[in-house]
Amino acid sequence: MNNNAAVTWNGYLRPDGRKGVRNIVLVIYTVQCASHVAHGIAKDQEDVHVIGFPGCYDNEYAVRLMLALARHPNVGAVLSVGLGCEYTQPEKIAQVVRESGRPAEWFYIQDAGGTRAGIEKGVRLVTQLRQEIRRMAKRAPMTLADLCIGCECGGSDGTSGLAGNPVVGRFFDRLVDAGGQAIFEEIVEMIGLKDIILSRAADDQARLQLDAAYEKAVRYCQSVRQYSVSPGNFAGGLTTIEEKSMGAFAKSGSRGIQGVIKVAQTPPRAGLWLMDSVPDPHFMGFGYTNPNDTEGIMDLISAGCQMVLFVTGRGSVIGSPIAPLIKITGNSQTFKRMTEDIDFDAGAVLDGRMKMDQAAAALEELVVDVARGKLTKPEALGHREYFVMYKHQDTPPLQIGCRA
Amino acid sequence: MPRCFIIDPADNVATMLDDAQASAKLEILGTGGGAVDLSAGENISLGHKVAIADIADGQGVIKYGVSIGLAAGMIRRGQWVHLHNCVSHVDQRSGTLDLHSGAATDTRYE
């Protein structure tokens, strides 16, 4: 049984009922032209994070993603900042956030009077928002059943599938058994494993969803002429996409998969879920599935993950805004070489220093500590990488376009 | 002694946990501890695979208990298994990559 199922700590209860493990102010910029000012506003402020969308022409997918991030359980308040020419509307973002009960402000840099005036205005607004969310912060007890945790892997090597991902998989089993939500993605790294994936479906509906998502991923990979495997993966000893897939899929553990969610959707109930981040067909054919690890991590956070586990065999130095990133390696040499950046060494299971169950229990302890407020290594180093891109997914469909 | 790890009893390859020099005797960890007296047939790096049985041309390379690719030519026990002697069932491009760096050889830079 799960020893930590009864462990409680105090989280942040949002007006919409979601429970977070951090209480941050999120600055959102609505076009690349506003990014300098947005980062200037957040500079040197531990609890002010930044995301934004670079495009001037708007994109339904990116808007859905930003709105999901803006109402994330760890987000207390939002400031959205636009330049003043772009399609994406900072005022609309602030409105939606206010409807969730969170305080929100917005402005255009052109109205504020330029770079310095914009930064000064933004710092003033962020200071007010911070005071407000500290004053209104409701604390509420949380348990593992209140957690939604995502897992991504990147910079994989031959150890990721032997140690890093299997330890996460064993932890995911414990989280699911405790009533929590676990999300994994990277379906393009499940190529060659269709029968194995379908055999994990919790019911017939989940099986149909997994089948459709798998076939879409195969068509996508074939059309871009590239499976999801990189030069570093090959140099690290992975020989085929099938080998990488088996190692990546190990992070899903052993429990039944409840179904498939898309980016910016939250799982409808407890259990293990697959996130489909693959673009749906669109006349422009735009949007890569996983252009980089940061993009996948943002997708997982958009589903409401209060923290994300990142398994890296070769070593990675990224972090994430909004939700703490816990970095795990199955390569003890990488851990020694990059201890400053990596939180957890799962390599101990390979040479018998630790049993798989012990490692999963140790990872769970770390997760609980982070939920209680302990900073992860990327958090402490100030890593807040984000990536919001043009993409198309079919929920909901675009209905209005240019006149013929 | 350099170590290697077998993840599934059905496997015919093991994954190196240390770098091994050619002819180094290997310590075998994981589920296939029964296999004894294995030496590296060539230099094999951490994370890469070593054959723990002879694999005939066209036979499956088995890891995690599943076929992760097919042997392209005879692979002898102790040999390094990688892009030069194992081809994916689905990925045509991987066979054209640089054996050591994994870099693409079909992208033009000028």
Side-chain angles (χ1 to χ4, degrees):
Chain A
M1 257 324 279
N2 203 323
N3 298 329
N4 286 321
V7 171
T8 63
W9 64 90
N10 270 330
Y12 297 91
L13 178 64
R14 303 299 168 200
D16 57 5
R18 304 182 91 179
K19 289 179 184 172
V21 300
R22 296 289 184 271
N23 195 27
I24 65 155
V25 178
L26 186 63
V27 177
I28 301 178
Y29 61 85
T30 46
V31 64
Q32 187 65 19
C33 318
S35 68
H36 178 86
V37 167
H39 283 281
I41 292 166
K43 191 165 179 285
D44 298 328
Q45 303 192 73
E46 196 55 32
D47 60 345
V48 181
H49 296 189
V50 179
I51 62 159
F53 178 62
C56 181
Y57 175 59
D58 58 0
N59 175 256
E60 288 283 349
Y61 169 91
V63 168
R64 276 201 305 275
L65 179 54
M66 288 195 291
L67 291 178
L69 295 170
R71 292 170 293 178
H72 186 278
N74 291 351
V75 173
V78 168
L79 169 64
S80 56
V81 180
L83 173 66
C85 308
E86 66 273 30
Y87 276 93
T88 306
Q89 299 291 300
E91 183 178 10
K92 293 257 175 65
I93 292 175
Q95 259 171 23
V96 171
V97 171
R98 283 187 196 127
E99 282 161 19
S100 79
R102 291 167 178 79
E105 298 291 343
W106 74 278
F107 70 91
Y108 280 131
I109 297 166
Q110 288 169 348
D111 297 337
T115 301
R116 277 188 234 187
I119 292 175
E120 279 165 22
K121 184 181 174 83
V123 168
R124 239 182 0 257
L125 289 169
V126 157
T127 305
Q128 284 168 19
L129 289 168
R130 178 194 288 119
Q131 284 166 354
E132 205 170 333
I133 61 174
R134 287 195 179 159
R135 203 173 52 239
M136 68 189 266
K138 272 196 195 144
R139 305 305 298 261
M142 288 179 77
T143 67
L144 287 173
D146 295 306
L147 284 181
C148 175
I149 298 185
C151 181
E152 182 86 4
C153 58
S156 297
D157 69 3
T159 69
S160 299
L162 302 183
N165 288 328
V167 167
V168 169
R170 194 65 65 92
F171 163 68
F172 267 5
D173 286 353
R174 296 167 66 100
L175 179 64
V176 166
D177 294 348
Q181 294 176 331
I183 308 177
F184 66 111
E185 62 122 16
E186 301 170 288
I187 190 166
V188 289
E189 291 169 9
M190 289 163 216
I191 301 298
L193 310 182
K194 184 171 175 178
D195 293 344
I196 294 172
I197 294 163
L198 295 190
S199 74
R200 290 277 304 282
D203 55 34
D204 287 344
Q205 197 194 349
R207 186 184 308 271
L208 288 174
Q209 289 178 2
L210 288 168
D211 194 346
Y214 179 89
E215 292 300 335
K216 184 178 105 178
V218 170
R219 281 195 303 276
Y220 171 83
C221 289
Q222 287 169 344
S223 65
V224 299
R225 206 180 68 95
Q226 182 61 62
Y227 289 104
S228 181
V229 55
S230 77
N233 297 148
F234 293 115
L238 297 175
T239 303
T240 63
I241 181 65
E242 298 95 311
E243 179 181 12
K244 182 174 175 179
S245 296
M246 278 305 292
F249 190 59
K251 71 165 89 76
S252 70
S254 67
R255 300 300 183 252
I257 301 169
Q258 301 297 316
V260 178
I261 56 171
K262 284 190 171 175
V263 176
Q265 290 182 329
T266 51
R269 56 181 189 278
L272 175 69
W273 295 83
L274 172 67
M275 174 179 276
D276 169 20
S277 63
V278 178
D280 286 310
H282 184 274
F283 72 96
M284 284 176 76
F286 59 14
Y288 271 85
T289 297
N290 287 87
N292 57 48
D293 296 326
T294 289
E295 203 260 354
I297 291 165
M298 297 303 294
D299 292 349
L300 288 167
I301 297 173
S302 79
C305 294
Q306 295 109 328
M307 59 186 93
V308 175
L309 311 175
F310 184 54
V311 178
T312 175
R314 290 169 66 77
S316 169
V317 296
I318 58 169
S320 49
I322 303 168
L325 192 68
I326 297 177
K327 290 227 281 288
I328 298 163
T329 187
N331 186 331
S332 297
Q333 291 188 13
T334 297
F335 185 72
K336 282 195 202 99
R337 203 170 54 242
M338 298 174 66
T339 301
E340 169 182 76
D341 286 283
I342 298 179
D343 297 281
F344 191 86
D345 179 14
V349 302
L350 292 176
D351 56 16
R353 279 178 287 148
M354 224 185 220
K355 297 265 181 247
M356 193 66 85
D357 283 325
Q358 289 175 308
L363 179 57
E364 188 170 284
E365 296 285 342
L366 176 59
V367 162
V368 170
D369 285 346
V370 170
R372 287 189 163 127
K374 176 188 167 144
L375 295 182
T376 68
K377 290 189 175 174
E379 265 187 307
L381 285 167
H383 279 288
R384 307 276 186 266
E385 288 87 340
Y386 59 91
F387 197 84
V388 177
M389 62 184 286
Y390 282 106
K391 195 188 268 194
H392 174 73
Q393 283 199 317
D394 277 341
T395 51
L398 275 173
Q399 281 160 344
I400 303 165
C402 295
R403 261 180 252 163
Chain B
M1 194 187 298
R3 302 160 304 157
C4 63
F5 190 92
I6 302 172
I7 185 94
D8 188 282
D11 292 357
N12 54 21
V13 292
T15 304
M16 297 301 307
L17 301 184
D18 302 294
D19 293 336
Q21 299 288 316
S23 78
K25 210 168 155 353
L26 303 180
E27 182 187 352
I28 300 179
L29 304 174
T31 58
V36 286
D37 213 24
L38 180 67
S39 298
E42 54 202 302
N43 293 349
I44 309 177
S45 303
L46 185 160
H48 285 250
K49 292 173 292 302
V50 57
I52 56 174
D54 288 345
I55 309 170
D57 187 12
Q59 260 195 355
V61 172
I62 311 296
K63 182 176 171 182
Y64 301 103
V66 304
S67 175
I68 60 161
L70 298 174
M74 176 73 193
I75 302 174
R76 294 281 175 202
R77 188 166 182 269
Q79 270 190 316
W80 177 32
V81 179
H82 201 38
L83 298 167
H84 59 304
N85 56 13
C86 172
V87 294
S88 166
H89 295 273
V90 294
D91 186 357
Q92 289 187 326
R93 194 184 188 196
S94 57
T96 69
L97 301 172
D98 181 82
L99 176 60
H100 296 281
S101 68
T105 56
D106 57 356
T107 303
R108 286 194 298 270
Y109 284 84
E110 59 179 17

